[in-house]
């Protein structure tokens, strides 16, 4: 009986040894984003510290990589940049504990969570979902994948972003309210996480609007830089 109870509590996971995680953009089916996850944002908006991670979903059609452009949809008047660390799930899991969460991380990447602030402002005021303001095409630019052994500590990484050569955002993942194990534990309690799933861990403060013609250059520690041009939908 004791063995059966142990098996019932055990984290659900599969080996997934055939996964080629470097193709995470092609095979992705789920993007989870963490909102309000840096203390500087909480303090600047005079908000209470969240008791649990605030999560939202983005579609896989929002993903792009270098060589592609960020396209501002006609429907939006105010789209802002948000630079952040992302992790990519390497093994299928459900009901993961914080203690075991990191073993399900298959790698990391630098990400932008492009956000239609005009849409989110209306959604927040009416208690509506963030989907349209977060999930438009090209709203999730990402870098290449970094294996876990290339990232000494994902919670001690400098993040920065420039627009047209001018610094806009700086921060450190040490300032995240909810760390990666917290987010994985919370998310997997509510939904299965599969290989190639991307978890955006949230941006530091300084997210400002961009305009067509802008060049975004951003980086994560000394690991990676990536560059994207912003264009309007009608260009």
């Amino acid at each position: 009986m004791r063995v059966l109870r142990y098996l019932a509590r055990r984290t659900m996971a599969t080996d997934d040894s055939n996964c080629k995680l470097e193709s995470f953009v092609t095979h992705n089916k789920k993007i989870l984003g963490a909102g309000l996850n840096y203390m500087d944002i909480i303090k600047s908006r005079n908000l209470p510290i969240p008791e649990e991670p605030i999560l939202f979903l983005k579609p896989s059609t929002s993903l792009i990589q270098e060589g592609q452009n960020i396209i501002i949809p006609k429907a939006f008047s105010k789209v802002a940049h948000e630079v952040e660390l992302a992790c990519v799930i390497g093994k299928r899991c459900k009901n993961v504990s914080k203690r075991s969460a990191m073993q399900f991380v298959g790698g990391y990447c630098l990400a932008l969570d492009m956000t239609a602030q005009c849409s989110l402002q209306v959604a927040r005021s009416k208690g509506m979902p963030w989907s349209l303001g977060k999930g438009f095409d090209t709203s999730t630019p990402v870098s290449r994948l970094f294996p876990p052994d290339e990232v000494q500590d994902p919670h001690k990484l400098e993040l920065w972003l420039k627009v047209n050569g001018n610094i806009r955002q700086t921060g450190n993942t040490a300032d995240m309210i909810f760390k990666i194990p917290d987010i994985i534990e919370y998310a997997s309690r509510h939904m299965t996480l599969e290989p190639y799933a991307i978890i955006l861990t949230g941006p530091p403060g300084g997210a400002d609007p961009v305009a067509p013609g802008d060049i975004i250059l951003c980086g994560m520690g000394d690991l990676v830089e990536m560059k994207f041009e912003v264009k309007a939908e009608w260009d």
Side-chain angles (χ1 to χ4, degrees):
M1 182 64 71
R2 187 177 304 171
V3 173
L4 290 176
R5 284 199 298 267
Y6 168 76
L7 291 173
R9 291 195 303 266
R10 192 173 58 178
T11 299
M12 294 169 56
T14 57
D15 185 4
D16 298 309
S17 56
N18 292 324
C19 287
K20 295 183 178 179
L21 286 179
E22 65 273 13
S23 303
F24 71 105
V25 171
T26 302
H27 297 291
N28 174 267
K29 295 191 292 184
K30 185 181 297 175
I31 306 168
L32 276 173
L36 302 178
N37 199 30
Y38 275 73
M39 284 302 303
D40 59 347
I41 295 179
I42 295 296
K43 291 177 179 178
S44 67
R45 298 182 188 177
N46 197 27
L47 296 171
I49 298 174
E51 295 181 2
E52 295 178 324
I54 299 171
L55 301 181
F56 56 88
L57 285 166
K58 301 186 73 167
S60 59
T61 48
S62 67
L63 287 165
I64 58 170
Q65 292 186 288
E66 281 193 289
Q68 298 174 278
N69 298 318
I70 296 168
I71 308 297
I72 298 178
K74 296 178 184 178
F76 296 143
S77 59
K78 190 178 180 183
V79 172
H81 53 72
E82 295 184 1
V83 64
E84 44 200 276
L85 167 69
C87 68
V88 178
I89 297 297
K91 295 189 291 185
R92 179 184 174 93
C93 59
K94 174 72 173 172
N95 290 324
V96 173
S97 69
K98 273 194 286 189
R99 185 185 305 176
S100 63
M102 296 302 286
Q103 68 180 281
F104 297 96
V105 174
Y108 303 92
C109 67
L110 179 64
L112 287 171
D113 177 21
M114 301 302 297
T115 301
Q117 293 180 338
C118 53
S119 176
L120 253 67
Q121 185 175 8
V122 173
R124 284 171 175 155
S125 67
K126 296 181 178 180
M128 297 171 62
W130 299 2
S131 301
L132 297 181
K134 288 285 191 180
F136 59 92
D137 290 354
T138 76
S139 66
T140 315
V142 292
S143 72
R144 71 173 179 88
L145 185 77
F146 294 89
D149 59 6
E150 287 189 28
V151 181
Q152 287 189 348
D153 187 345
H155 302 111
K156 290 183 180 178
L157 290 172
E158 295 288 340
L159 297 172
W160 58 268
L161 181 144
K162 296 179 181 180
V163 176
N164 302 328
N166 299 312
I167 195 72
R168 289 277 195 91
Q169 277 185 285
T170 59
N172 193 295
T173 57
D175 297 325
M176 291 193 296
I177 298 169
F178 297 103
K179 309 303 184 187
I180 292 171
D182 300 313
I183 299 171
I184 291 176
E185 178 188 54
Y186 184 76
S188 69
R189 192 189 309 161
H190 297 86
M191 64 183 76
T192 299
L193 299 177
E194 300 172 301
Y196 311 110
I198 299 169
I199 297 179
L200 308 175
T201 60
D208 286 322
V210 293
D214 284 346
I215 302 295
I216 298 174
L217 178 66
C218 55
M220 182 170 66
D222 58 359
L223 289 172
V224 66
E225 292 183 4
M226 62 181 189
K227 181 189 292 186
F228 291 89
E229 183 174 355
V230 180
K231 293 195 172 184
E233 189 175 18
W234 51 84
D235 282 354

